[in-house]
Amino acid sequence: MDWLWNFDLRYHGTDYLGMALSFASLWQLARKRRSGFLLGAMANGAWLAFAFFAQSAATVYANVLFGAMSLYAWARWKREAASPAPSALGR
């Protein structure tokens, strides 16, 4: 288990940056803040850099899909925020 505590920078810290930005993104989204999408995009960039350093095709594909899903979610969130919420009184 020594590898677990070996904080090497083999991937130039992109893995640690991606991890920190992913957590920050999820935290902001859980608090219903749209800045979580920006942090998520930055995390995707860090994970893509990691994927190229690690030569991991699966990580590249996954982060391209995560980025596309995030764009869809951001657009949907923006559209729902612009439309007025249905009122319980106006039935």
Side-chain angles (χ1 to χ4, degrees), residues 18 21-22 39-49 62-68 70:
L21 289 170
S22 293
L39 289 168
M42 292 169 31
N44 272 29
W47 283 119
L48 279 171
N63 277 282
V64 167
L65 289 172
F66 292 150
S70 291

Side-chain angles (χ1 to χ4, degrees), residues 5 8 88:
W5 306 110
D8 66 3

Side-chain angles (χ1 to χ4, degrees), residues 2-89:
D2 291 337
W3 62 269
L4 191 57
W5 306 110
N6 185 10
F7 297 105
D8 66 3
L9 296 177
R10 182 179 341 168
Y11 303 112
H12 306 284
T14 56
D15 46 351
Y16 294 108
L17 179 62
M19 177 187 63
L21 289 170
S22 293
F23 287 137
S25 170
L26 290 172
W27 181 263
Q28 292 297 347
L29 289 171
R31 298 184 72 191
K32 299 185 183 205
R33 295 193 175 150
R34 288 185 64 201
S35 62
F37 290 111
L38 176 62
L39 289 168
M42 292 169 31
N44 272 29
W47 283 119
L48 279 171
F50 165 78
F52 283 109
F53 286 131
Q55 297 180 350
S56 172
T59 306
V60 170
Y61 301 142
N63 277 282
V64 167
L65 289 172
F66 292 150
M69 290 169 53
S70 291
L71 284 174
Y72 172 76
W74 180 78
R76 184 176 168 125
W77 189 326
K78 185 177 180 181
R79 186 173 48 241
E80 287 179 5
S83 65
S87 172
L89 299 174

